Amino acid sequence: MGERWKILAALVAARVGMGFQFQAIACAAPFLVPDLGLDKTQLGWLIGLYMLPGIFIALPGGLLGARFGDKRMVLAGLALMIAGALWLSQARDFGAAAAARGLAGVGAAVLNVLLTKMVADWFDGRDRLLAMSILINCWPIGIALALFLLGPVSEASGWPFAAACTAALPVAGFLAVGLAYRAPPGAAQAGAGLGLGALTRPEWRLLVAASLPWMIFNAGFQILVSFLPAFFLERGLTVAGSGASSALTILVSIFSVQAGGILLKRMPRPDVLCHGAIAAWLVTTAFFLTGDSPLAWLLAGSVVIGLPAGLFVSLPAEVLRPELRAAGMGFFYTVFYVGVAVFPALAGALYDLTGHAASTLWLAAGCVAVCVPALLLLRALMRSTIPAPVSGEGRR
């Protein structure tokens, strides 16, 4: 295994704990909600609060990485995730639980920005699409682990113990990054990165447009995985059964993301694959929500939903100069966090309004559908702004 792939393995170890922590609230909800006296809107906020700090932390996190070094800030972020998980396990009301989720979310925001930037530093060209697909796959892997484990653990030992368990993976990530990571040869030294003020007006337009598809795609995905267990509970499944059914769909999507990375690397026009995958997922979702065999249609959709992910998260690297990656990724993830923090809360309010989890999944489908015009907008701007490919990926 080459050094850069060993580096990627260490970054993967750090990121998998993020999905595991994020999903903890949804998995423990049947026990946490009555224990803390929450309504569905408060539940939605607790889910979204893991993402909310990113709106304010993503950009400073990128700038701090440029100032003090990526590795040092990633280790600090992992330490905050560990502390937040342990604090959540001691929470006895909504305020304490929200504060604990926010603290862990601050650490996760720093990781999200800098891990993506570190992969962009180590990989280029079509290899970047594959490496990014591997990195972002850690999120659904963590979610799937949570869906399999945390519901039964909450039922057997209580939700506080399940919350404490979410500190374990960040500890493993801390050790992996601390022992294995180093900056690539020729990378800018700490303190040498440029801020957002160095972006030209055309670069700003490209960065904003490049940030939209990933934000919208993830907003839809987070709503889906957050409220899918509730949908299955309404259909009569047990807590363990709804968690296992949801986890099965996430596992299929994990293979989809990885298959997408391989296909995107090989296809001459990767955008065509992305548009086709989104269209297919929307069709299967419509049948899933209206048909008599929801799990079968959900699994069919999970086969295609992950295919565009590697391309969407790689878009900023196509339009950013290397010396602007830390600051640019900070902005990219600020936009991302706006969507994934606010939309689950809106979905929770919609759930309260309608009384049916299916309404939240229709909202998820609407979010994913908007990715198609968002990507088309970016490509139109690139054609009018960039006369040639900027980083070897090729035109789409």
Side-chain angles (χ1 to χ4, degrees), residues 28 31-32 35 89 150-165:
F31 313 98
L32 181 147
D35 192 27
S89 71
L150 293 183
V153 168
S154 297
E155 193 169 28
S157 303
W159 71 263
F161 180 73
C165 289

Side-chain angles (χ1 to χ4, degrees), residues 212-214 216-218 220-221 256 264 270-286 300-312 315 364-376:
L212 294 178
W214 186 235
I216 300 166
F217 180 81
N218 276 277
F221 186 75
S256 175
L264 290 167
D271 283 12
V272 174
L273 175 67
C274 296
H275 295 317
I278 289 171
W281 184 77
L282 292 173
V283 170
T284 60
T285 300
S302 299
V303 171
V304 296
I305 185 59
L307 297 180
L311 185 141
F312 287 164
L315 291 175
C367 291
V368 175
V370 176
C371 292
V372 173
L375 182 57
L376 292 173

Side-chain angles (χ1 to χ4, degrees), residues 125-215:
R126 295 299 182 94
D127 283 343
R128 182 183 292 146
L129 294 175
L130 178 58
M132 287 291 191
S133 296
I134 293 171
L135 181 73
I136 62 177
N137 234 350
C138 301
W139 180 264
I141 287 172
I143 289 173
L145 288 172
L147 286 167
F148 273 121
L149 297 175
L150 293 183
V153 168
S154 297
E155 193 169 28
S157 303
W159 71 263
F161 180 73
C165 289
T166 65
L169 291 176
V171 169
F174 189 98
L175 295 174
V177 173
L179 294 173
Y181 186 79
R182 71 172 185 85
Q189 298 298 311
L194 299 178
L196 291 176
L199 284 166
T200 65
R201 185 174 297 178
E203 286 175 328
W204 264 114
R205 287 196 294 266
L206 290 170
L207 178 58
V208 170
S211 301
L212 294 178
W214 186 235
M215 181 272 280

